[in-house]
Each structure stands twice: as structure tokens, then as C-alpha cells.
Amino acid sequence: MPRGDKSSYTDKQKRNAEHIEESEKNQGRSEAAAERIAWATVNKQDGGGKKSGSANKTAAKTTKTSKTAATKKAAVKKTAAKKAAAKAAPAKATKKAAKKTATQAAEKATTKTAIKKTVKKAAKKTVAKQATGKAASKTATGAPAKKTAATGARKRAAGKS
């Protein structure tokens, strides 16, 4: 098929090209420019000739449209994110500030729980020391016995933590 042959186009595509060509001529374009624009428009809309025997262009068209759809979705997401950021800007809650606040809150929570745990451990140790001290004083009469019982309690408490 020689270059510029329009035999692979459907009648509908040819009519559409004629209509576009007339419209371009009415706008003051030359004959050649109007024809070039008309067929370029038809090719862009339909992906070229569609008659049987012509190259199948539906696969290329579908991939092209899926790419443009993905691009449009990404653009919509970006604009939505920008709008959300613009709304948050007057409240001075930028991402950085929000992240910093969240980090500080998490640190406070972990420090509080750590403090509670250490206080509980210390309380248990003192209770254990007092209990072993009382038991040792009741059972043992001499000072060396009290000393060894207290040492044993300290070692057990140290082993638990």
C-alpha cells in the first residue's frame, strides 16, 4: 500500500475526515493543511484505518488508553494531596509537625510505661527485702544469719530483673 493511501479507512472515517476538512477550510486554512489536519484528527481519534486487512491497531490503542487513564488517576491523587495540604496549611499542621507530635506522644507513652515498670519492680524488691528480713530475724538469732538472708534476697531479686 503506497504512502497516503486511504483504502484501509472505513466510510465513516472518510466522512469524518471530509467534515473536518471542510471545517478547517472555513476557518481559513489552505486545502493541503486542511486535509492534513483532517486525517491527523481521524488517526488520533480512531488509531488509523479499521477495514479488514489493515493492521490491527486495537491492542496498541488499549494500552495507550490504559496508560493515559493511569496518568490521569495519578494526577488526580496529586491534586487531592495538594488540596489537603493547602487546607492543613492554615492550621499549621504540616506533615513534619504532625510526625514530630506523633513521635513525641509515642516517646511519652513508652517512658510512662517504663517508669511504671521500674516503680513496680522497686516496690516488689523492697517488699521482698522486708519479708526476708522479717523472716530471717524471726528464725535466726545472730547477726550473721540476718546478713546472709538479706544477701540471698538481693541476689534473687537481681536474678529476676
Side-chain angles (χ1 to χ4, degrees):
M1 181 185 326
R3 189 170 183 176
D5 184 23
K6 308 294 186 225
S7 63
S8 63
Y9 289 90
T10 63
D11 291 336
K12 182 179 178 182
Q13 289 174 321
K14 290 177 183 175
R15 285 192 308 270
N16 194 8
E18 286 175 22
H19 174 71
I20 294 168
E21 187 176 347
E22 287 174 23
S23 173
E24 292 296 322
K25 285 180 189 174
N26 289 340
Q27 291 180 12
R29 304 256 184 345
S30 69
E31 177 86 24
E35 186 179 359
R36 182 182 48 81
I37 291 170
W39 286 108
T41 306
V42 169
N43 286 336
K44 185 168 185 169
Q45 288 173 347
D46 297 334
K50 296 291 184 184
K51 273 191 176 174
S52 63
S54 66
N56 187 4
K57 298 185 179 159
T58 54
K61 189 175 180 183
T62 10
T63 54
K64 188 177 180 182
T65 53
S66 64
K67 284 181 184 178
T68 53
T71 309
K72 285 180 183 177
K73 284 181 183 177
V76 168
K77 285 182 181 178
K78 284 182 182 177
T79 53
K82 285 182 182 178
K83 285 181 181 178
K87 285 182 181 178
K92 295 190 179 181
T94 59
K95 277 186 180 180
K96 207 172 193 179
K99 191 174 181 181
K100 190 176 180 182
T101 311
T103 310
Q104 288 174 346
E107 285 175 0
K108 283 182 183 178
T110 53
T111 8
K112 283 183 180 179
T113 54
I115 290 169
K116 285 180 182 178
K117 285 181 181 179
T118 51
V119 168
K120 282 183 182 178
K121 281 184 181 179
K124 283 181 181 178
K125 282 182 183 179
T126 52
V127 169
K129 282 181 184 178
Q130 289 172 354
T132 54
K134 286 179 182 176
S137 64
K138 285 181 183 177
T139 56
T141 55
K146 283 185 182 177
K147 195 172 188 181
T148 54
T151 312
R154 265 191 250 120
K155 284 181 182 177
R156 275 181 262 136
K160 289 181 183 177
S161 61

